[in-house]
Amino acid sequence: MTATVGLDVGGTKLLAVVLDDSGAVLAAGRADTPRAGPRRAGVSQAGPGRAGARGGGEAGPAGAVLVQALVELALRVAGGASADISAVGVGVPGLVDPRGVLRFAPNLPAGEGVDFSSALRAGVGVSTIAVGNDATCAALGELTYGAASGLSDVLVVTLGTGIGGGVVVNGEILRGANGFAGEIGHVVVDPGGPACSCGQRGCWERYASGSGLARLAREAALGGRIDSVVRLAGGDPEAVRPEHVTAAAASGDQAAEAVMDELGWWIALGVANLVSVLDPELVVLGGGLMAAGDLVLTPTRRAFGELLQAAHERPAVGIVAAGLGENAGAVGAAVMARAEQPEVHRQ
Ligand SMILES: [Zn+2]
């Protein structure tokens, strides 16, 4: 039996699956994303504004560490599945060029400049390697086997360290002129807002991602609005993490629920803007933040109903969690790789 390996590179974790031709996950694994070291060689870690100095550099030593971790994870999951691995796909956060090089990745500095295609071909020993944007992969996974299966127009939003987007139009993944479509996390929602690692201020992902929740929680903690959560975190407002807030909200803590409401409002704001542009029939929310489930979905749906233009004149647009859960990106990466094998006929 042949199978493909799908890899999903996140800001904090690496996920992997082995997918057979029927879409069954034969094996799955995970590893921590190696801690970021220096940016790509020759580019210093200056502050905001450094974006203009970027472009065209080579991967740094941290890139090699990242690749090594990915290769080890791929070989580990492949070894756990009794199948011949015919292709490997990888989804990475940021702008990926057609050669499989990650050009720009605010949430994965170590990956900038890395030629994932060549590195994985050499490391895993499989000739067919497909490299794509992680959220685009998640959309492909959801379209093929998940919540978007059988649908024609869908917006997939991945809420992780940052925010990624995948857009399905007429049953096809929207790629754009350069393959860069769907970079929704860096749409600015407040020009005077907090600095983003991309070099701008007030990007949507500063408010509505996992790191956005961390920022909202920190502000609430320092502002004395979630003292019960601060106690849960050991008494130090600076120690409050998103998981403290979600745990407290899950147990009915109203102050923590208010932070989740704030998060949901920001998620809904961006989703409503995108629904105005794209007119999808369904919005799928994925990524690590969705481990909180209804704690995210419920306030997001409520605010979306208030923020969407002319909501009463439209058929209802559902907002659901990814059907494949946190594996959506890895499954989609495997699907992407399967489609690139020369011996596989596309349907
Ligand atoms: Zn940004």
Side-chain angles (χ1 to χ4, degrees):
M1 178 171 48
T2 61
T4 51
V5 169
L7 302 167
D8 184 8
V9 180
T12 60
K13 62 180 181 285
L14 313 174
L15 298 174
V17 300
V18 179
L19 197 74
D20 76 6
D21 290 343
S22 73
V25 174
L26 304 178
R30 65 169 58 220
D32 290 338
T33 302
R35 303 283 292 177
R39 299 191 87 85
R40 62 170 64 159
V43 179
S44 68
Q45 301 213 36
R50 65 172 178 260
R54 291 192 192 174
E58 296 299 315
V65 174
L66 174 64
V67 164
Q68 185 58 32
L70 259 186
V71 167
E72 285 172 8
L73 177 61
L75 294 174
R76 176 153 61 84
V77 293
S82 303
D84 294 328
I85 303 303
S86 56
V88 176
V90 58
V92 293
L95 303 182
V96 185
D97 77 12
R99 296 184 301 126
V101 179
L102 183 57
R103 310 304 306 187
F104 185 69
N107 292 312
L108 192 72
E112 286 191 348
V114 171
D115 180 345
F116 283 92
S117 186
S118 299
L120 287 170
R121 189 172 294 114
V124 183
V126 170
S127 64
T128 300
I129 307 288
V131 187
N133 172 269
D134 57 348
T136 303
C137 287
L140 185 58
E142 288 295 307
L143 180 64
T144 311
Y145 297 117
S149 177
L151 299 183
S152 171
D153 294 274
V154 181
L155 168 66
V156 176
V157 180
T158 59
L159 306 168
T161 306
I163 298 178
V167 180
V168 178
V169 177
N170 290 331
E172 302 273 347
I173 299 288
L174 179 71
R175 303 203 177 275
N178 303 293
F180 298 162
E183 280 292 306
I184 59 180
H186 301 284
V187 169
V188 173
V189 295
D190 180 3
C196 181
S197 51
C198 75
Q200 302 185 116
R201 284 193 169 275
C203 291
W204 185 32
E205 69 174 41
R206 291 296 90 222
Y207 300 86
S209 63
S211 55
L213 174 57
R215 200 183 60 77
L216 294 175
R218 183 173 180 277
E219 282 188 356
L222 294 173
R225 287 184 276 131
I226 51 170
D227 291 345
S228 52
V229 181
V230 173
R231 284 194 293 277
L232 198 65
D236 178 5
E238 297 281 1
V240 170
R241 300 282 176 265
E243 52 268 32
H244 298 128
V245 178
T246 54
S251 65
D253 183 301
Q254 290 189 348
E257 286 175 355
V259 176
M260 297 306 292
D261 285 350
E262 193 179 1
L263 173 73
W265 188 88
W266 282 110
I267 296 171
L269 177 71
V271 168
N273 287 343
L274 291 163
V275 166
S276 287
V277 176
L278 299 166
D279 187 24
E281 56 197 308
L282 184 71
V283 177
V284 178
L285 302 184
L289 187 57
M290 289 308 295
D294 286 343
L295 290 173
V296 174
L297 276 173
T298 301
T300 298
R301 286 173 176 148
R302 186 166 56 232
F304 176 72
E306 298 163 3
L307 290 165
L308 179 62
Q309 174 216 44
H312 51 285
E313 298 295 337
R314 301 165 180 263
V317 182
I319 301 179
V320 301
L324 301 173
E326 69 172 0
N327 281 338
V331 168
V335 171
M336 173 179 68
R338 191 171 70 191
E340 290 208 358
Q341 292 173 92
E343 67 271 29
V344 171
H345 298 289
R346 296 182 191 217
Q347 291 180 340

